[in-house]
Amino acid sequence: MHTHPWSLCSIFWKVVLSMFGSLSSRPRPSGGRAVALASLLTLVFASTAVAAQPRVGLGTTDGFAVLGGSAVTNTGPSVINGDLGVSPGTAISGFPPGTVNGAVHATDGVAGQAKSDLVTAYNDAAGRTPVVSVAGDLGGRTLTAGVYNATSSLGLTGAVTLDAQGDPNAVFIFQVGSALTTATDSSVSLLNGAQACNVYWQIGSSATLGTRTAFKGTIMALTSISLNDGVAVDGRLLARNGAVTLINDTITRSQCAPGTDGSGGSDTDSDSGSGDGTGGPGSGPGLRSGGPRVRLFGLPGVPQPPIRNPGAQQPPVSSVCTTRNFTARVRLRDGDGIRLVKVYLDGRLVKQTTRTRFALRIKVRGLRVGPHRIRVIARDGEGNRSVTTRRFGRCAFALPAPRFTG
């Protein structure tokens, strides 16, 4: 059972006071007591360090509710609130009757990047220390923030409660050596400000969630993830090599509440400037001057709308829009100390990096006809932030290769 940090502190001070009381009649402490005191200090600081974990960086995987390695299969009216993808496999089946409230990426560039980012996130979570050892079944326990390690399989029967102790940024990481299995009607409960976006389950083999399980957190499984009937997940199902299997389930991509510093995945930053791509520091609400200067180019233009006058001659559709995939390029000036760069396509996070120069492949097929928006948000180590927005057009039908502007 996990020992509460405050209990350790209480024990520590009681022992220290008793030691100082016994030492008050002596000129100096013995070597044994000095070593014991140092050990107690190490114990207390180690226990408090458990609660100071940063979030696991999901990169572009953040936008996905479900990502499979080999396949994603569904039976019944499952609902996925977030993106659905598979890579390097190609099979996505059962939609419909399943519903996806997000984009579907089958072995495209977005899914491939998300898979790469998943491997990075998985290894990050697997390497976190210090750890608290757990074994058997988590049911009936209340756990505070930290890293929990099970050397083999881990079960959940009933409810496990994750207590953030009033800190909405509290992070919970579970390292499971082999399989994670939940029983029917089990649940992960959040208490005192805990958020599902800050809960991570790194699984060494596969995860199986029992019927009507109410689960919280992002599952990153090395092999596969299987859900029985009626499971509700506030988090993500991310399988590196195997399949994700659903049966009449609901998966909602978790997002951190406004005002906390989660990585998020929604395009919540304010627009800035005119969005003309010149890349000057933003001046919109919440922006600070002196942010990195961003240049975003390589985008096709937006076609001009047709003349609405019934008697006027309609111009041809502008050739600056495109139906072909293209590459957008991002360059940051004054890029020293860049902490994070995020790129959004129509409000959806498609890339997250710390690089000052990179290329982004845009897949036009599947996008609606008309204008689309790419937004680049850059932050440096001093907290300065800039936002650059550009728009491009998706043509109604194929045209000669456009001349990209910008």
Side-chain angles (χ1 to χ4, degrees), residues 285-296:
L287 303 182
R288 295 175 57 183
S289 62
R293 291 184 294 170
V294 179
R295 289 189 61 83
L296 172 62

Side-chain angles (χ1 to χ4, degrees), residues 55-364:
R55 290 178 171 86
V56 174
L58 295 176
T60 59
T61 315
D62 180 86
F64 285 82
V66 176
L67 180 65
S70 62
V72 177
T73 62
N74 171 65
T75 302
S78 294
V79 177
I80 296 177
N81 296 310
D83 290 352
L84 165 65
V86 62
S87 180
T90 60
I92 296 179
S93 61
F95 301 92
T99 301
V100 181
N101 296 316
V104 178
H105 298 281
T107 326
D108 60 9
V110 175
Q113 181 62 52
K115 173 63 178 297
S116 176
D117 290 345
L118 170 57
V119 173
T120 300
Y122 181 96
N123 292 334
D124 178 12
R128 292 293 183 93
T129 57
V131 301
V132 174
S133 295
V134 291
D137 197 286
L138 293 177
R141 301 189 188 187
T142 297
L143 306 176
T144 55
V147 181
Y148 297 88
N149 179 273
T151 56
S152 58
S153 61
L154 192 64
L156 173 59
T157 304
V160 60
T161 301
L162 307 182
D163 185 355
Q165 299 178 307
D167 179 9
N169 297 317
V171 171
F172 301 80
I173 298 174
F174 294 87
Q175 302 166 341
V176 183
S178 56
L180 171 69
T181 305
T182 72
T184 298
D185 294 320
S186 295
S187 64
V188 178
S189 300
L190 305 179
L191 183 67
N192 293 328
Q195 300 190 77
C197 64
N198 294 329
V199 181
Y200 307 90
W201 304 79
Q202 177 261 319
I203 312 300
S205 58
S206 298
T208 302
L209 305 187
T211 302
R212 296 185 301 276
T213 292
F215 198 83
K216 302 289 194 304
T218 294
I219 297 178
M220 299 178 288
L222 182 62
T223 309
S224 61
I225 303 173
S226 300
L227 273 59
N228 289 310
D229 183 73
V231 174
V233 176
D234 181 3
R236 296 169 185 80
L237 305 178
L238 311 175
R240 283 183 54 176
N241 302 316
V244 176
T245 304
L246 309 176
I247 305 175
N248 188 29
D249 306 305
T250 302
I251 300 90
T252 301
R253 181 180 69 90
S254 59
Q255 299 183 67
C256 289
T260 61
D261 60 353
S263 60
S266 59
D267 187 2
T268 57
D269 294 274
S270 302
D271 267 322
S272 64
S274 62
D276 61 1
T278 58
S283 58
L287 303 182
R288 295 175 57 183
S289 62
R293 291 184 294 170
V294 179
R295 289 189 61 83
L296 172 62
F297 52 96
L299 278 66
V302 179
Q304 295 180 352
I307 299 173
R308 296 300 180 186
N309 250 332
Q313 182 179 1
Q314 298 294 314
V317 177
S318 170
S319 63
V320 296
C321 61
T322 185
T323 59
R324 304 184 182 189
N325 299 342
F326 65 91
T327 299
R329 291 179 173 82
V330 180
R331 293 180 182 174
L332 277 70
R333 296 182 178 179
D334 303 330
D336 292 339
I338 288 297
R339 189 181 68 180
L340 188 64
V341 181
K342 293 184 179 181
V343 182
Y344 295 89
L345 171 59
D346 295 333
R348 178 172 55 84
L349 182 67
V350 294
K351 188 173 184 63
Q352 182 170 293
T353 183
T354 57
R355 298 175 61 186
T356 58
R357 291 191 177 195
F358 57 91
L360 183 69
R361 189 68 174 166
I362 303 296
K363 186 175 181 180
V364 176

